[in-house]
Amino acid sequence: MTIIPVDSLEDGRWYAQREQVDISGQETQFVELIEALSRKRPLTGKKYNQTMRTYVRRGLPWLNKGQIIDIYARLCDQGTMEFDPELRIHLQMKPTRSQAGVTVVTVLTKPYPCPGECIFCPTDVRMPKSYLHDEPGAQRAERHGFDPFTQTTARIRALEQIGHPAEKIELLILGGTWSSYKRDYQEWFVKRCFDAINEVEALSLIEAQEINASGKRRNVGLVVETRQDRIDVEELRWLRYLGVTKVQVGIQSLDDHILTINKRGHNVQATRDAFRLLRLAGFKIHGHWMANLLGATPESDLEDYGRLWQDPAIRPDELKIYPCMLVENAELYDYWQRGEYEPYNEDQVREVLINCMSQTPRWVRLNRVIRDFPTTNVVAGNKKANMRQLAQREMERRGLIGSDIRNREIRREKVGRADLDLRIDSYETDATTEHFLSFETADERIAGFLRLSLPHRDITHPFPELHGHAMIREVHVYGPALDLGDESQGEAQHMGLGSELVNKAKEIAVDTEFNRIAVISAIGTREYYAKHGFELDGLYMTAMLNTT
């Protein structure tokens, strides 16, 4: 194990941007500037620039938000201002990045051949399959040569610079089909991400995980994306060895004909089989679904979207809705040029989204709507990157309500325990009974939830060590991400909601005659679950249930 010097961790550009501003002799003006910014709600880019221009004319330098947050912290340290966590959040560039309770760090793997031949997927030799070189995340990865260590380090530093705590990190590894990369590369990649989080160079992945389990920064979730036809029991055991807790899978369509003519390379049953294994193994299932594929119509898309929830073998926990975006470096472009494909116009896309969003179950989180392609790459069809907001605005006008998790997260709202009630939504899959436990306000704002999975008794469990176990697949409590050990000021995260949810899950498991319960713990949440009686047991953490 080698402790990495801070100098070697820092990106030179970060140091240049982070250079401290001398505030001596101008403290009063800086206080006035921060107070002026505090009154601009919301603090849009336009309002920020207008305020900065006013104070530049008064002799202050032009400051970015990272510098403003640093100056605010120093003024608080010297007693000139009183620290207010709400003000720090207000000053952040993008407070939503950490309002879900954790801070997401996204990294990309190197360009590598994908086993798929999907006609809608862009091909850029500079990027992993399906990514464009001018997407913001892809540009960051390319600047760092797709190196996992420097990508992770730079992203953490950038988020900290704009005021986001980075003690609880969800690591999102993107880049084509993860399972197609050689396993020695996968293990090296994950280890180097952990090394960056830990600020320690470990000798092995296992050592890096052990350091992280009690480190200053914790990995509280690890996400990869792969194809359903690459998922089997052995692959999922490997993912658990790496520390993966959530898997993204491109469903794309639940129509075998659509899958075939778009050269997806698998059928619907492959998705059903993969989701069954993922659920029984405890993974969170994050699906991608596409509208406007070759052969689809707005009407058929709505029917297909309904199958996501009607088919008990599908029913993902999270979803990205990606209406197809026509780009020149995808094979679908040739179909369009021959007149064999026509992308939906903006009105059609908006209507499809409105109908999809309004029928999404309340236990599902719509993580994204519309792919984050720079619109300059889109040759025809919808080019509005903010179509989700436009669709939501129209839904409000029509009196339609979207009840997915993301639409109901409590985020920065202060609540007390007395404001919350426990609600349990239950539904069946082809292999489990799922219980979605959530603490909600009277208007159904969600402060925290737990996913409890109870395998059906009549199935042969593909993971023998999990036979007879109830499974906690996810525990999530909302509110701005707090540093480890920070005190709560009304944030849902630190009201003990997680403990109540875990205890209730144990109670339900006992009532349904399970003797043991397992949890798919991230590396950095092992200590948390240990406090609730769980012990590391191979690839999972498990606990005996008190059935007396």
Side-chain angles (χ1 to χ4, degrees):
M1 179 178 73
T2 304
I3 298 177
I4 304 170
V6 173
D7 287 351
S8 68
L9 281 173
E10 307 292 355
D11 185 291
R13 287 185 299 275
W14 183 84
Y15 261 136
Q17 295 170 353
R18 187 64 168 160
E19 185 177 352
Q20 282 198 335
V21 176
D22 183 11
I23 63 174
S24 57
Q26 292 183 298
E27 289 88 346
T28 301
Q29 284 182 280
F30 282 114
V31 170
E32 291 175 358
L33 167 61
I34 291 170
E35 289 178 344
L37 291 171
S38 74
R39 294 190 291 270
K40 308 293 183 182
R41 295 181 182 268
L43 184 54
T44 62
K46 182 178 180 181
K47 291 178 182 177
Y48 181 86
N49 291 337
Q50 289 173 339
T51 307
M52 278 308 311
R53 277 194 288 270
T54 298
Y55 283 85
V56 167
R57 287 194 292 268
R58 297 179 187 178
L60 292 185
W62 187 279
L63 305 169
N64 61 43
K65 285 191 176 181
Q67 291 170 317
I68 289 285
I69 290 169
D70 176 66
I71 290 170
Y72 175 57
R74 284 190 280 151
L75 290 170
C76 292
D77 288 343
Q78 69 185 35
T80 306
M81 296 188 75
E82 184 175 343
F83 179 71
D84 178 0
E86 280 295 308
L87 178 55
R88 183 181 69 174
I89 293 169
H90 173 71
L91 294 172
Q92 286 172 2
M93 285 184 178
K94 294 184 178 180
T96 54
R97 290 193 189 277
S98 55
Q99 281 179 6
V102 299
T103 299
V104 178
V105 171
T106 303
V107 294
L108 259 70
T109 50
K110 66 181 180 181
Y112 194 74
C114 175
E117 298 179 351
C118 313
I119 65 173
F120 50 79
C121 193
T123 299
D124 187 327
V125 295
R126 296 164 290 185
M127 290 290 131
K129 190 69 182 289
S130 88
Y131 290 87
L132 297 174
H133 79 281
D134 51 354
E135 293 181 67
Q139 287 180 323
R140 288 195 300 267
E142 189 176 29
R143 282 199 301 270
H144 291 282
F146 299 95
D147 181 87
F149 181 90
T150 57
Q151 285 187 75
T152 305
T153 296
R155 197 68 190 131
I156 290 171
R157 296 292 181 258
L159 290 166
E160 288 181 333
Q161 183 187 3
I162 57 176
H164 295 280
E167 270 61 31
K168 288 177 277 188
I169 293 172
E170 181 178 49
L171 182 63
L172 180 55
I173 301 176
L174 301 180
T177 301
W178 172 257
S179 302
S180 68
Y181 288 82
K182 294 183 182 299
R183 285 194 172 177
D184 58 352
Y185 174 80
Q186 294 181 35
E187 185 166 359
W188 169 80
F189 194 98
V190 173
K191 174 193 171 294
R192 292 300 284 159
C193 290
F194 273 103
D195 286 345
I197 295 171
N198 297 337
E199 297 182 328
V200 172
E201 189 165 333
L203 297 176
S204 67
L205 173 61
I206 296 299
E207 184 183 39
Q209 291 174 339
E210 290 172 350
I211 293 167
N212 187 261
S214 58
K216 179 181 70 174
R217 295 194 187 105
R218 309 280 177 88
N219 171 243
V220 299
L222 203 168
V223 190
V224 298
E225 53 182 356
T226 193
R227 288 172 57 94
Q228 45 274 83
D229 52 8
R230 301 301 294 262
I231 291 174
D232 56 27
V233 171
E234 197 271 335
E235 176 68 10
L236 296 187
R237 289 192 185 280
W238 170 253
L239 295 183
R240 282 305 298 142
Y241 165 75
L242 297 176
V244 174
T245 56
K246 182 192 300 182
V247 178
Q248 297 194 35
V249 177
I251 302 168
Q252 316 312 14
S253 175
L254 293 176
D255 183 315
D256 279 334
H257 175 66
I258 297 293
L259 291 174
T260 298
I261 64 176
N262 285 274
K263 299 183 182 180
R264 180 64 186 160
H266 64 79
N267 58 15
V268 175
Q269 190 58 45
T271 301
R272 295 190 183 104
D273 294 342
F275 281 19
R276 177 187 179 98
L277 287 177
L278 285 166
R279 216 170 339 246
L280 287 170
F283 289 92
K284 275 78 74 178
I285 302 173
H286 182 144
H288 300 180
W289 177 83
M290 296 185 69
N292 198 194
L293 291 173
L294 178 68
T297 66
E299 293 74 25
S300 71
D301 279 336
L302 295 184
E303 291 180 13
D304 198 70
Y305 190 80
R307 295 187 195 108
L308 291 170
W309 322 117
Q310 294 159 9
D311 187 336
I314 307 296
R315 297 180 175 169
D317 307 306
E318 301 178 359
L319 192 72
K320 290 176 181 173
I321 301 178
Y322 283 160
C324 187
M325 302 184 82
L326 184 65
V327 293
E328 192 169 355
N329 58 352
E331 186 182 346
L332 187 60
Y333 178 79
D334 298 330
Y335 287 73
W336 175 67
Q337 286 195 310
R338 296 193 299 264
E340 299 171 17
Y341 172 76
E342 188 64 35
Y344 300 164
N345 61 37
E346 290 178 0
D347 289 342
Q348 289 173 308
V349 170
R350 188 179 66 248
E351 285 304 309
V352 168
L353 294 182
I354 288 171
N355 282 284
C356 290
M357 291 162 67
S358 60
Q359 64 171 296
T360 303
R362 66 191 321 278
W363 39 265
V364 175
R365 189 178 196 272
L366 290 179
N367 286 21
R368 179 166 299 213
V369 173
I370 299 294
R371 181 70 187 268
D372 192 21
F373 281 163
T375 53
T376 51
N377 293 286
V378 181
V379 296
N382 172 55
K383 296 187 179 183
K384 290 185 176 177
N386 68 332
M387 186 56 78
R388 180 178 194 154
Q389 289 73 30
L390 297 176
Q392 287 176 322
R393 201 173 300 159
E394 180 62 17
M395 286 175 67
E396 291 173 5
R397 191 188 71 79
R398 299 181 191 180
L400 298 173
I401 298 174
S403 59
D404 80 283
I405 293 171
R406 190 178 185 272
N407 200 49
R408 298 186 296 117
E409 292 168 356
I410 205 148
R411 298 191 178 180
R412 293 169 59 185
E413 184 181 340
K414 293 287 193 299
V415 293
R417 179 61 187 85
D419 301 320
L420 302 170
D421 291 313
L422 178 65
R423 172 169 175 162
I424 302 176
D425 293 282
S426 303
Y427 58 97
E428 295 293 325
T429 74
D430 63 334
T432 64
T433 299
E434 299 291 318
H435 296 293
F436 181 78
L437 290 64
S438 57
F439 276 113
E440 302 184 13
T441 61
D443 60 352
E444 300 189 8
R445 303 284 286 170
I446 187 166
F449 68 85
L450 180 149
R451 298 186 189 275
L452 175 65
S453 188
L454 304 179
H456 293 164
R457 303 284 186 177
D458 58 350
I459 68 167
T460 300
H461 205 297
F463 300 85
E465 69 270 36
L466 294 177
H467 176 74
H469 288 65
M471 172 67 75
I472 295 175
R473 297 194 297 117
E474 182 173 16
V475 180
H476 201 124
V477 181
Y478 288 99
L482 301 177
D483 288 343
L484 294 168
D486 276 6
E487 293 297 321
S488 171
Q489 297 186 9
E491 295 88 351
Q493 268 200 334
H494 284 233
M495 282 197 294
L497 299 185
S499 297
E500 287 194 57
L501 289 166
V502 170
N503 290 335
K504 185 62 178 179
K506 289 181 177 180
E507 180 184 317
I508 293 172
V510 169
D511 289 344
T512 48
E513 300 183 348
F514 282 86
N515 296 318
R516 296 188 65 85
I517 188 167
V519 61
I520 185 166
S521 173
I523 303 302
T525 57
R526 287 176 179 173
E527 280 193 355
Y528 175 81
Y529 289 113
K531 293 176 182 177
H532 291 282
F534 290 84
E535 296 180 348
L536 193 59
D537 184 8
L539 299 173
Y540 297 86
M541 296 187 75
T542 64
M544 289 290 295
L545 293 171
N546 184 3
T547 58
T548 58

